[in-house]
PDB file of all heavy atoms in Angstrom:
ATOM      1  N   PRO A 376      54.332 108.341  78.525  1.00  0.00           N
ATOM      2  CA  PRO A 376      54.573 107.854  79.850  1.00  0.00           C
ATOM      3  C   PRO A 376      55.253 106.502  79.886  1.00  0.00           C
ATOM      4  O   PRO A 376      55.089 105.716  78.952  1.00  0.00           O
ATOM      5  CB  PRO A 376      53.150 107.823  80.484  1.00  0.00           C
ATOM      6  CG  PRO A 376      52.235 108.308  79.483  1.00  0.00           C
ATOM      7  CD  PRO A 376      52.890 108.450  78.211  1.00  0.00           C
ATOM      8  N   GLU A 377      55.997 106.272  80.912  1.00  0.00           N
ATOM      9  CA  GLU A 377      56.570 104.993  81.159  1.00  0.00           C
ATOM     10  C   GLU A 377      55.418 103.956  81.225  1.00  0.00           C
ATOM     11  O   GLU A 377      54.424 104.192  81.919  1.00  0.00           O
ATOM     12  CB  GLU A 377      57.383 104.945  82.410  1.00  0.00           C
ATOM     13  CG  GLU A 377      58.663 105.707  82.338  1.00  0.00           C
ATOM     14  CD  GLU A 377      59.901 104.829  82.160  1.00  0.00           C
ATOM     15  OE1 GLU A 377      59.729 103.616  81.973  1.00  0.00           O
ATOM     16  OE2 GLU A 377      60.986 105.363  82.183  1.00  0.00           O
ATOM     17  N   GLY A 378      55.569 102.823  80.578  1.00  0.00           N
ATOM     18  CA  GLY A 378      54.493 101.835  80.555  1.00  0.00           C
ATOM     19  C   GLY A 378      53.669 101.922  79.314  1.00  0.00           C
ATOM     20  O   GLY A 378      52.904 101.017  78.960  1.00  0.00           O
ATOM     21  N   SER A 379      53.764 103.071  78.626  1.00  0.00           N
ATOM     22  CA  SER A 379      53.024 103.292  77.350  1.00  0.00           C
ATOM     23  C   SER A 379      53.878 103.705  76.209  1.00  0.00           C
ATOM     24  O   SER A 379      53.361 104.234  75.193  1.00  0.00           O
ATOM     25  CB  SER A 379      51.891 104.324  77.626  1.00  0.00           C
ATOM     26  OG  SER A 379      51.039 103.908  78.657  1.00  0.00           O
ATOM     27  N   LYS A 380      55.155 103.517  76.362  1.00  0.00           N
ATOM     28  CA  LYS A 380      56.056 103.961  75.250  1.00  0.00           C
ATOM     29  C   LYS A 380      56.067 102.943  74.105  1.00  0.00           C
ATOM     30  O   LYS A 380      56.067 101.719  74.321  1.00  0.00           O
ATOM     31  CB  LYS A 380      57.505 104.075  75.761  1.00  0.00           C
ATOM     32  CG  LYS A 380      57.709 105.201  76.826  1.00  0.00           C
ATOM     33  CD  LYS A 380      59.182 105.297  77.256  1.00  0.00           C
ATOM     34  CE  LYS A 380      59.354 106.362  78.297  1.00  0.00           C
ATOM     35  NZ  LYS A 380      59.218 107.740  77.790  1.00  0.00           N
ATOM     36  N   ARG A 381      56.062 103.471  72.872  1.00  0.00           N
ATOM     37  CA  ARG A 381      56.119 102.588  71.736  1.00  0.00           C
ATOM     38  C   ARG A 381      57.501 101.956  71.592  1.00  0.00           C
ATOM     39  O   ARG A 381      58.525 102.600  71.930  1.00  0.00           O
ATOM     40  CB  ARG A 381      55.815 103.434  70.440  1.00  0.00           C
ATOM     41  CG  ARG A 381      54.340 103.620  70.236  1.00  0.00           C
ATOM     42  CD  ARG A 381      54.102 104.641  69.146  1.00  0.00           C
ATOM     43  NE  ARG A 381      54.235 106.009  69.699  1.00  0.00           N
ATOM     44  CZ  ARG A 381      53.782 107.070  69.041  1.00  0.00           C
ATOM     45  NH1 ARG A 381      53.234 106.953  67.849  1.00  0.00           N
ATOM     46  NH2 ARG A 381      53.970 108.243  69.584  1.00  0.00           N
ATOM     47  N   VAL A 382      57.493 100.768  71.185  1.00  0.00           N
ATOM     48  CA  VAL A 382      58.771 100.007  71.025  1.00  0.00           C
ATOM     49  C   VAL A 382      59.181  99.882  69.590  1.00  0.00           C
ATOM     50  O   VAL A 382      60.026  99.140  69.219  1.00  0.00           O
ATOM     51  CB  VAL A 382      58.687  98.606  71.690  1.00  0.00           C
ATOM     52  CG1 VAL A 382      58.488  98.775  73.134  1.00  0.00           C
ATOM     53  CG2 VAL A 382      57.525  97.788  71.022  1.00  0.00           C
ATOM     54  N   SER A 383      58.541 100.678  68.689  1.00  0.00           N
ATOM     55  CA  SER A 383      58.948 100.688  67.284  1.00  0.00           C
ATOM     56  C   SER A 383      58.533 101.992  66.662  1.00  0.00           C
ATOM     57  O   SER A 383      57.713 102.765  67.203  1.00  0.00           O
ATOM     58  CB  SER A 383      58.281  99.517  66.530  1.00  0.00           C
ATOM     59  OG  SER A 383      56.848  99.672  66.555  1.00  0.00           O
ATOM     60  N   TRP A 384      59.066 102.298  65.483  1.00  0.00           N
ATOM     61  CA  TRP A 384      58.641 103.437  64.667  1.00  0.00           C
ATOM     62  C   TRP A 384      58.464 103.018  63.249  1.00  0.00           C
ATOM     63  O   TRP A 384      59.065 101.991  62.836  1.00  0.00           O
ATOM     64  CB  TRP A 384      59.571 104.637  64.794  1.00  0.00           C
ATOM     65  CG  TRP A 384      61.000 104.377  64.346  1.00  0.00           C
ATOM     66  CD1 TRP A 384      62.055 104.064  65.149  1.00  0.00           C
ATOM     67  CD2 TRP A 384      61.529 104.429  63.025  1.00  0.00           C
ATOM     68  NE1 TRP A 384      63.163 103.889  64.442  1.00  0.00           N
ATOM     69  CE2 TRP A 384      62.906 104.127  63.098  1.00  0.00           C
ATOM     70  CE3 TRP A 384      61.012 104.692  61.769  1.00  0.00           C
ATOM     71  CZ2 TRP A 384      63.740 104.084  61.974  1.00  0.00           C
ATOM     72  CZ3 TRP A 384      61.836 104.695  60.648  1.00  0.00           C
ATOM     73  CH2 TRP A 384      63.189 104.369  60.774  1.00  0.00           C
ATOM     74  N   ALA A 385      57.652 103.755  62.550  1.00  0.00           N
ATOM     75  CA  ALA A 385      57.401 103.348  61.155  1.00  0.00           C
ATOM     76  C   ALA A 385      57.503 104.561  60.245  1.00  0.00           C
ATOM     77  O   ALA A 385      57.276 105.712  60.755  1.00  0.00           O
ATOM     78  CB  ALA A 385      55.994 102.808  61.008  1.00  0.00           C
ATOM     79  N   PRO A 386      57.824 104.383  59.003  1.00  0.00           N
ATOM     80  CA  PRO A 386      57.899 105.575  58.073  1.00  0.00           C
ATOM     81  C   PRO A 386      56.613 106.281  58.038  1.00  0.00           C
ATOM     82  O   PRO A 386      55.480 105.711  58.048  1.00  0.00           O
ATOM     83  CB  PRO A 386      58.174 104.891  56.733  1.00  0.00           C
ATOM     84  CG  PRO A 386      58.831 103.608  57.078  1.00  0.00           C
ATOM     85  CD  PRO A 386      58.186 103.134  58.360  1.00  0.00           C
ATOM     86  N   GLY A 387      56.707 107.622  57.994  1.00  0.00           N
ATOM     87  CA  GLY A 387      55.512 108.470  57.972  1.00  0.00           C
ATOM     88  C   GLY A 387      54.846 108.704  59.313  1.00  0.00           C
ATOM     89  O   GLY A 387      53.796 109.358  59.389  1.00  0.00           O
ATOM     90  N   GLU A 388      55.400 108.167  60.384  1.00  0.00           N
ATOM     91  CA  GLU A 388      54.781 108.350  61.695  1.00  0.00           C
ATOM     92  C   GLU A 388      54.790 109.808  62.095  1.00  0.00           C
ATOM     93  O   GLU A 388      55.888 110.453  62.029  1.00  0.00           O
ATOM     94  CB  GLU A 388      55.574 107.481  62.714  1.00  0.00           C
ATOM     95  CG  GLU A 388      54.832 107.316  64.053  1.00  0.00           C
ATOM     96  CD  GLU A 388      55.566 106.223  64.863  1.00  0.00           C
ATOM     97  OE1 GLU A 388      56.591 106.562  65.403  1.00  0.00           O
ATOM     98  OE2 GLU A 388      55.093 105.096  64.880  1.00  0.00           O
ATOM     99  N   PRO A 389      53.675 110.402  62.461  1.00  0.00           N
ATOM    100  CA  PRO A 389      53.678 111.871  62.788  1.00  0.00           C
ATOM    101  C   PRO A 389      54.374 112.150  64.109  1.00  0.00           C
ATOM    102  O   PRO A 389      54.543 111.284  64.970  1.00  0.00           O
ATOM    103  CB  PRO A 389      52.175 112.170  62.862  1.00  0.00           C
ATOM    104  CG  PRO A 389      51.552 110.893  63.297  1.00  0.00           C
ATOM    105  CD  PRO A 389      52.355 109.815  62.677  1.00  0.00           C
ATOM    106  N   ILE A 390      54.766 113.368  64.254  1.00  0.00           N
ATOM    107  CA  ILE A 390      55.365 113.780  65.551  1.00  0.00           C
ATOM    108  C   ILE A 390      54.244 114.108  66.526  1.00  0.00           C
ATOM    109  O   ILE A 390      53.248 114.767  66.131  1.00  0.00           O
ATOM    110  CB  ILE A 390      56.293 115.055  65.290  1.00  0.00           C
ATOM    111  CG1 ILE A 390      56.986 115.402  66.627  1.00  0.00           C
ATOM    112  CG2 ILE A 390      55.536 116.222  64.806  1.00  0.00           C
ATOM    113  CD1 ILE A 390      58.030 116.475  66.430  1.00  0.00           C
ATOM    114  N   ASP A 391      54.387 113.624  67.695  1.00  0.00           N
ATOM    115  CA  ASP A 391      53.429 113.885  68.792  1.00  0.00           C
ATOM    116  C   ASP A 391      53.782 115.114  69.522  1.00  0.00           C
ATOM    117  O   ASP A 391      54.951 115.611  69.490  1.00  0.00           O
ATOM    118  CB  ASP A 391      53.339 112.686  69.723  1.00  0.00           C
ATOM    119  CG  ASP A 391      52.752 111.447  69.070  1.00  0.00           C
ATOM    120  OD1 ASP A 391      52.118 111.590  68.016  1.00  0.00           O
ATOM    121  OD2 ASP A 391      52.922 110.354  69.625  1.00  0.00           O
ATOM    122  N   CYS A 392      52.837 115.639  70.292  1.00  0.00           N
ATOM    123  CA  CYS A 392      53.050 116.911  70.994  1.00  0.00           C
ATOM    124  C   CYS A 392      52.737 116.790  72.440  1.00  0.00           C
ATOM    125  O   CYS A 392      51.863 116.005  72.832  1.00  0.00           O
ATOM    126  CB  CYS A 392      52.143 118.004  70.343  1.00  0.00           C
ATOM    127  SG  CYS A 392      52.380 118.205  68.612  1.00  0.00           S
ATOM    128  N   PRO A 393      53.480 117.520  73.279  1.00  0.00           N
ATOM    129  CA  PRO A 393      53.120 117.581  74.684  1.00  0.00           C
ATOM    130  C   PRO A 393      51.753 118.179  74.847  1.00  0.00           C
ATOM    131  O   PRO A 393      51.312 118.990  74.057  1.00  0.00           O
ATOM    132  CB  PRO A 393      54.211 118.473  75.284  1.00  0.00           C
ATOM    133  CG  PRO A 393      55.266 118.514  74.339  1.00  0.00           C
ATOM    134  CD  PRO A 393      54.690 118.347  73.004  1.00  0.00           C
TER     135      PRO A 393
END
Side-chain angles (χ1 to χ4, degrees):
E377 290 256 7
S379 300
K380 294 182 183 289
R381 279 167 280 193
V382 294
S383 63
W384 59 265
E388 195 169 77
I390 184 172
D391 292 344
C392 303

